[in-house]
């Protein structure tokens, strides 16, 4: 008799079990990084340890949790495992406990602790492109309380795919005030800082240059005189085929996602241009760049022209790559936060909770990006961590340089 169709036997490599001793060491390391955070609760109401609340919160978000109820559910589901390396004197905190704690934790202190942890991962950022950009948490507004949406400015290490820092934009302010505060937190020496037009300011350029870093600043209509001057000059010299002008040129064509994109980059030393408007105020300015992007989609063709000011020397290949890497913060950070962590839909908005939960998401994103043994998307890594306690420990191990050998034990 025919045996019929049989499902193929699927064999997978099992991950090397990590002991409770590993879990205890990892959580102790986590506690040391966040030890600066003070418990905001009245002593008589502290039924649960602050360290337990923080660690369960981080693990829950890594596993795909979106809010306070998810933190409780994760704790209850993993209670037998968690109690082996956490104190949990009164079991798992309820959702209201998680909410009250994260509403009241000083977000500035939490951000400093985050910085200390990132610095332990990357002792030196090295010469790489660091895009800086802002993101609005669209669900954080509260119409009844007259509270506007929360806007966070983040720095992204393009090489390591890590969030280096986060600063909240003050109410009734904009990124111009937040970017200098974020730059103060970072060791910028040797890096290339890429900022969109909002950060194209004399003071910001000076701050970056004095920190022994280089800048690439987008030049748009918020500097109308300088923008029009640069645009007019490029129009004229292109018509004359750059006759008598020293310049650098690079061209790239990329195909994918049902589109073809052609990028042309011209970089010209400022010495080749007539005196620019307020040129002396741009400390370290060496080069002006023009980028032309032509995208051929299935139903239309678009053309975009952008200009940049930079303290780097005129090399169109290097400058074009650095400008292109700015998309890393859009795709690797902002898009992932919305798609994997559903950040825009989050309606948590009271106290410091939006900033602190936003920081938990960035901790989780850094942790998932650091773990490279499982070749899957961050969403699948998150799902795996929710189901497999050993893989969750592998992700945590990847967050600490001294445990890198452990993180290689995860299944392929």
């Amino acid at each position: 008799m025919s045996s019929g169709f049989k499902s193929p036997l699927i064999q997978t490599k099992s991950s090397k079990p990590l002991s409770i001793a590993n879990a205890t060491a990892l959580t102790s390391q986590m506690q040391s990084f966040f030890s600066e955070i003070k418990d905001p609760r009245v002593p008589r109401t502290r039924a649960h340890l602050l360290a337990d609340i923080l660690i369960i919160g981080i693990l829950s978000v890594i596993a795909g949790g979106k809010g306070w109820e998810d933190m409780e559910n994760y704790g209850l589901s993993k209670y037998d495992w968690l109690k082996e390396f956490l104190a949990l004197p009164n079991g798992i905190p309820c959702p209201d406990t998680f909410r009250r704690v994260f509403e009241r934790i000083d977000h500035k202190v939490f951000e400093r602790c985050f910085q200390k942890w990132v610095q332990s991962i990357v002792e030196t950022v090295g010469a790489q492109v660091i895009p800086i950009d802002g993101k609005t948490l669209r669900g954080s507004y509260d119409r009844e309380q007259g509270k506007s949406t929360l806007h966070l400015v983040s720095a992204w290490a393009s090489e390591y795919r890590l969030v280096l820092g986060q600063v909240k934009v003050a109410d009734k302010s904009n990124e111009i005030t937040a970017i200098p505060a974020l730059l103060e937190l970072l060791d910028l020496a040797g890096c290339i800082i890429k900022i969109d037009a909002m950060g194209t300011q004399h003071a910001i350029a000076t701050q970056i240059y004095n920190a022994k870093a280089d800048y690439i600043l987008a030049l748009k209509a918020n500097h109308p005189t300088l923008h029009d001057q640069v645009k007019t000059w490029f129009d004229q010299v292109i018509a004359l085929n750059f006759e008598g002008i020293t310049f650098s040129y690079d061209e790239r064509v990329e195909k994918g996602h049902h589109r073809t994109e052609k990028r042309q980059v011209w970089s010209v030393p400022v010495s080749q241009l007539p005196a620019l408007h307020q040129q002396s105020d741009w400390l370290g300015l060496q080069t002006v760049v023009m980028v032309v992007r032509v995208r051929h989609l299935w139903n239309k063709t678009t053309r975009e022209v952008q200009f940049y000011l930079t303290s780097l020397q005129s090399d169109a290949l290097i400058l074009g790559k650095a400008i292109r890497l700015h998309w890393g913060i859009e795709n690797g950070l902002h898009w992932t936060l919305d798609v994997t962590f559903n950040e825009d839909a989050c309606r948590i908005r009271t106290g410091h909770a939006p900033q602190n939960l936003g920081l938990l998401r960035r901790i989780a994103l850094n942790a998932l990006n650091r773990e490279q043994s499982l070749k899957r998307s961050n969403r699948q890594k998150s799902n795996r961590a929710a189901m497999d306690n050993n893989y969750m420990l592998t992700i945590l191990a990847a967050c600490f340089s001294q445990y890198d050998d452990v993180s290689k034990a995860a299944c392929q």
Side-chain angles (χ1 to χ4, degrees), residues 117-404:
W117 168 61
V118 172
Q119 289 170 4
S120 75
I121 299 174
V122 186
E123 293 182 0
T124 175
V125 176
Q128 65 170 301
V129 179
I130 300 180
I132 293 178
D133 203 359
K135 182 181 186 298
T136 299
L137 280 64
R138 301 188 184 281
S140 60
Y141 73 94
D142 190 336
R143 185 178 293 109
E144 292 182 359
Q145 299 295 325
K147 185 176 181 179
S148 59
T149 53
L150 176 66
H151 194 76
L152 299 174
V153 176
S154 300
W156 175 256
S158 55
E159 179 182 346
Y160 298 103
R161 293 181 58 80
L162 293 175
V163 182
L164 297 179
Q166 164 190 296
V167 169
K168 172 192 173 185
V169 175
D171 294 338
K172 298 181 180 180
S173 184
N174 54 39
E175 292 180 17
I176 295 175
T177 60
I179 291 174
L182 179 58
L183 293 173
E184 285 288 339
L185 299 175
L186 306 176
D187 180 8
L188 305 176
C191 296
I192 301 171
I193 312 301
K194 170 67 177 69
I195 308 178
D196 209 350
M198 180 65 76
T200 305
Q201 306 294 329
H202 301 146
I204 291 175
T206 299
Q207 183 180 3
I208 294 171
Y209 191 78
N210 287 339
K212 300 184 180 347
D214 287 296
Y215 57 80
I216 301 177
L217 306 176
L219 178 62
K220 295 184 180 179
N222 58 335
H223 290 276
T225 303
L226 181 58
H227 177 269
D228 291 346
Q229 184 182 7
V230 170
K231 180 180 182 300
T232 301
W233 186 85
F234 269 105
D235 288 343
Q236 292 172 350
V237 296
I238 286 176
L240 298 174
N241 199 26
F242 284 90
E243 184 179 350
I245 302 295
T246 300
F247 70 100
S248 177
Y249 175 77
D250 184 64
E251 179 179 312
R252 302 279 159 174
V253 177
E254 293 184 0
K255 296 181 179 181
H257 303 288
H258 306 287
R259 72 180 182 189
T260 300
E261 178 175 289
K262 179 180 178 181
R263 293 192 303 277
Q264 297 174 283
V265 181
W266 289 268
S267 65
V268 182
V270 291
S271 60
Q272 298 292 303
L273 282 77
L276 297 175
H277 178 67
Q278 298 180 336
Q279 180 174 331
S280 61
D281 292 336
W282 300 102
L283 187 63
L285 177 62
Q286 291 199 66
T287 306
V288 176
V289 184
M290 181 176 75
V291 178
V292 178
R293 301 182 183 90
V294 178
R295 295 185 180 93
H296 298 281
L297 306 177
W298 70 274
N299 60 342
K300 63 179 180 179
T301 298
T302 63
R303 184 176 186 271
E304 180 184 29
V305 181
Q306 288 190 325
F307 302 98
Y308 299 89
L309 306 176
T310 178
S311 59
L312 293 167
Q313 294 182 354
S314 178
D315 187 322
L317 176 61
I318 293 176
L319 291 168
K321 288 182 177 180
I323 292 169
R324 179 67 171 164
L325 284 173
H326 189 85
W327 287 104
I329 196 170
E330 296 290 348
N331 297 330
L333 177 58
H334 297 166
W335 185 87
T336 303
L337 287 172
D338 287 336
V339 173
T340 302
F341 297 98
N342 208 21
E343 184 171 75
D344 263 357
C346 181
R347 293 292 288 152
I348 291 173
R349 54 198 175 178
T350 54
H352 298 311
Q355 299 97 295
N356 289 330
L357 190 56
L359 200 60
L360 287 183
R361 295 188 198 100
R362 283 151 180 81
I363 291 173
L365 178 60
N366 279 0
L368 292 169
N369 281 338
R370 281 281 291 176
E371 205 299 289
Q372 292 295 316
S373 65
L374 185 65
K375 304 303 181 183
R376 296 291 187 273
S377 67
N378 281 340
R379 183 189 291 274
Q380 292 305 317
K381 288 182 182 179
S382 178
N383 291 339
R384 176 70 177 273
M387 304 175 196
D388 185 346
N389 297 338
N390 188 55
Y391 185 62
M392 177 65 83
L393 290 182
T394 302
I395 290 175
L396 294 182
C399 296
F400 305 102
S401 57
Q402 61 266 48
Y403 289 98
D404 278 347

Side-chain angles (χ1 to χ4, degrees), residues 100-117:
R100 286 192 294 265
V101 169
F102 283 103
E103 280 178 351
R104 297 166 62 188
I105 287 176
D106 188 331
H107 67 92
K108 293 183 179 180
V109 176
F110 200 6
E111 287 164 1
R112 285 203 301 269
C113 294
F114 173 78
Q115 285 284 324
K116 185 167 64 173
W117 168 61

